[in-house]
Structures are given as C-alpha cells and as structure tokens.
Amino acid sequence: YANETAGSNWLAQEDFAIVFGIKAPTTALTANHRILDFWWLIPYIDQGVISINDASGNRNSTGLTIVPTKDYIITIRRADDDGDGTYLFYTRTERLDNGVITNGTPVAIGKPVNQQQAYYLSKANEHFLDKTGTLSYLIFFLGGDDGTHVAESETWIRNKYEGTSTSSSSETASGE
C-alpha cells in the first residue's frame, strides 16, 4: 500500500474531481474492496457495486455495477450541480473494453475537506485489492464541476489504455 502524510492534505474548497483507471478484482462480486481512502472520499467496490462512504461512515450505493477483471475509468465528482448549496458525489464508469458509460445515483458527501489527514492508496492489510484488482492512473483536481478537466482526464486515461498518443498541443495557464 502507499500513503502520503508529509503535507497538510486538506482542501481549500468543497468541489473536486478524481478520475482513475482500475482493473476490477476477480472477487468484485463477492467481497468488499476499498479503492482508496482520502478522508473526504472513500470509495468501495461493495459486492459488485460502487459505493461511497458518507460523513457518518455509511456506505451509499451509486448503483454502478462492476464486472470482475474488466478495466474501467471511474470518475467521482464532489459538486453542487444544481446550486442549492448541497454538495453530492456524482459517479460515472466507463468500461474500457466495450466503451459503455454509465452514470450513478448521486450520493451524500464524505467528511469535511478542511481536515488534515493522510491519503491512502489501499491499506496495509488490503494489499492493493488483494492483488486481484489494480489501481491505475489517478488524476485529482479541485473543481468538481469543471467538465473540461474531467473530459480531458478521461480521454488521457482512455488513450493510455488504447495505446494512442497522449501528447497535447494545449498549454496550462501559469499558476494552475
């Protein structure tokens, strides 16, 4: 497993997005697999369905199913899409072998973002999903409602999976 405890590891704003590639564990349908633990975002593959912990530690189902040993792009956004002041987790999967994209049911957010905590990729007793699932590229950024960055991240992971070019002619503005 890996963890990062050197920095302050808190976020200055509520909205963020995380996009990652994953090969689903062989036991995805019969076991519970924590994917990562970033304090304010703790997603699981829970008996074949992606679930996310809320602030009380309860797992909330997104309704998104995962097929064992298949490769996916999983996108999780913490955002207030309707502007009512209530942030939710919005989850999306893309199965890479057939291109099927599915949007999940929005679920309650996790813990407050302004708490200093360690980031864990797996845990010591989990051994990266028991070595039957593999966490691949992981892209994290502030601004969960920024559709451009989300789409660019998904495209980059998709291109890596397909073996096509990931070079870009665009340039990031200074300070970003």
Side-chain angles (χ1 to χ4, degrees), residues 155-169:
T155 297
W156 189 86
I157 293 173
R158 189 179 311 107
N159 287 347
K160 291 296 269 186
Y161 175 80
E162 294 170 353
T164 57
S165 174
T166 56
S167 64
S168 173
S169 59

Side-chain angles (χ1 to χ4, degrees), residues 24 39 41 49 61 95-96 107 110 121 145 147 149:
W39 171 254
L41 172 61
V49 178
S61 173
R95 194 168 134 183
L96 290 169
V107 297
L121 299 173
D145 59 352
H149 284 109

Side-chain angles (χ1 to χ4, degrees), residues 18-102:
I18 189 164
V19 182
F20 58 92
I22 190 169
K23 178 179 283 298
T26 58
T27 57
L29 299 178
T30 58
N32 299 316
H33 299 278
R34 181 183 358 234
I35 299 170
L36 53 86
D37 180 345
F38 281 5
W39 171 254
W40 20 257
L41 172 61
I42 306 173
Y44 285 83
I45 298 173
D46 192 3
Q47 304 289 322
V49 178
I50 295 176
S51 64
I52 300 175
N53 276 16
D54 62 19
S56 299
N58 300 310
R59 291 186 201 151
N60 293 283
S61 173
T62 65
L64 293 171
T65 59
I66 296 294
V67 177
T69 72
K70 298 301 180 186
D71 297 313
Y72 290 89
I73 296 173
I74 299 176
T75 302
I76 303 172
R77 297 183 308 108
R78 179 171 169 156
D80 175 14
D81 281 356
D82 61 8
D84 69 355
T86 301
Y87 285 82
L88 296 171
F89 280 127
Y90 299 90
T91 309
R92 174 184 186 272
T93 60
E94 177 178 345
R95 194 168 134 183
L96 290 169
D97 65 331
N98 63 12
V100 172
I101 296 172
T102 310

Side-chain angles (χ1 to χ4, degrees), residues 135-152:
L135 184 63
S136 181
Y137 306 103
L138 185 143
I139 303 167
F140 167 74
F141 51 89
L142 295 178
D145 59 352
D146 186 336
T148 301
H149 284 109
V150 169
E152 288 173 347

